[in-house]
Amino acid sequence: MSIFLLLVGITALVVLGLYYFASATPAQVAGTLRLLGPAFLVLVGAILSFAGRVSIGAPLIMLAVAWFGRQRRMVNSRRTGGQKSVVRSAWLEMELDHDSGDMDGVVLVGRFEGRRLFEMSDDELLELAADVKDDRESAELLEAYLDRRMPRWRDDADADAGAGHRGPYSTGAMTHEEAYKILGLEPGAAAVDIRKAHRSLMQRVHPDLGGNAFLAQRVNEARDVLLRDHAD
């Protein structure tokens, strides 16, 4: 009887999981998986305990509690310490989390104006990529996001989609406000904090580390703009 109940519980979870994952975004899936792990252990532990196998069920429940506690501490750590960078182009305003490397953004113009990228379907994102391809900065920003969310997106895009976005960019003079937003710092930050934020970001955006040339250029430019105020 206990084995039957366990199989019923597992089958129900699998069916519900498949239904959910079919429509969820990658960010939602990742968050759900962090919660499902402990929940699954609690379910199995409870079923085994009620079936008289407390020596197995109880440790599983304790493991689930410890696992959930660890996830909660990680979330709290990100909330308290996480800096975010903001980079803006003609089409997009992108946000990069320093700790996790996660990216998200909002569309500023066009048919998807006001939409957040994580809310858009894969097909809509590819349509947006076609819309912004003539704006080099916007195309690079969107490509950086797509490379994280849909690693094989280029296989489905046109053969020349995203091509030609190499070399230096002419973005105009960067203001101090923009520089602080890009590095995720408050106005008046010390030189040591500027360099620290720059190093942290470059580990996320440098092309040699799987990052993006446009983002790396903007991060370097932001550092240079702010450090001029600290020059001797």
Side-chain angles (χ1 to χ4, degrees):
M1 186 66 174
S2 61
I3 299 298
F4 175 75
L5 291 176
L6 179 59
L7 290 175
V8 170
I10 293 175
T11 302
L13 282 176
V14 170
V15 172
L16 291 174
L18 290 175
Y19 177 79
Y20 171 77
F21 293 145
S23 58
T25 66
Q28 291 171 331
V29 170
T32 301
L33 288 176
R34 286 194 291 267
L35 294 176
L36 280 183
F40 179 75
L41 288 181
V42 169
L43 174 63
V44 175
I47 292 175
L48 291 174
S49 297
F50 282 120
R53 301 184 180 182
V54 179
S55 61
I56 300 176
L60 288 178
I61 294 175
M62 294 175 63
L63 178 61
V65 172
W67 186 355
F68 179 77
R70 181 174 179 273
Q71 294 290 348
R72 187 173 182 179
R73 287 193 297 273
M74 290 175 63
V75 171
N76 289 338
S77 176
R78 285 195 292 266
R79 286 177 178 172
T80 56
Q83 290 178 303
K84 294 184 183 297
S85 296
V86 177
V87 181
R88 189 183 180 100
S89 71
W91 283 77
L92 300 166
E93 183 174 276
M94 299 294 297
E95 187 177 85
L96 172 68
D97 186 278
H98 289 207
D99 295 331
S100 66
D102 291 338
M103 293 185 70
D104 190 24
V106 61
V107 184
L108 301 177
V109 296
R111 52 178 163 164
F112 298 113
E113 181 178 355
R115 298 280 300 280
R116 296 200 68 85
L117 299 184
F118 86 93
E119 298 174 338
M120 297 173 63
S121 69
D122 292 353
D123 289 340
E124 288 176 327
L125 288 171
L126 292 178
E127 292 176 17
L128 178 61
D131 290 346
V132 307
K133 66 180 181 180
D134 292 330
D135 183 83
R136 298 178 68 192
E137 299 168 14
S138 300
E140 286 280 7
L141 285 177
L142 185 57
E143 286 175 16
Y145 176 80
L146 292 175
D147 287 340
R148 285 169 167 81
R149 171 168 163 176
M150 303 160 51
R152 298 181 61 84
W153 71 273
R154 297 177 194 274
D155 296 342
D156 299 324
D158 294 335
D160 61 345
H165 306 303
R166 299 295 183 266
Y169 299 83
S170 178
T171 57
M174 180 181 293
T175 67
H176 280 68
E177 181 182 4
E178 289 176 311
Y180 282 121
K181 286 183 177 180
I182 289 173
L183 294 182
L185 297 172
E186 295 294 328
V192 63
D193 294 325
I194 295 170
R195 293 190 177 94
K196 181 179 179 181
H198 173 265
R199 286 195 300 271
S200 174
L201 273 173
M202 290 303 286
Q203 292 173 0
R204 298 289 185 187
V205 304
H206 197 284
D208 292 343
L209 300 175
N212 175 276
F214 173 65
L215 285 175
Q217 177 179 314
R218 295 296 277 173
V219 170
N220 283 331
E221 188 176 356
R223 175 203 58 189
D224 294 341
V225 167
L226 297 182
L227 285 181
R228 290 193 196 109
D229 295 339
H230 298 275
D232 295 334

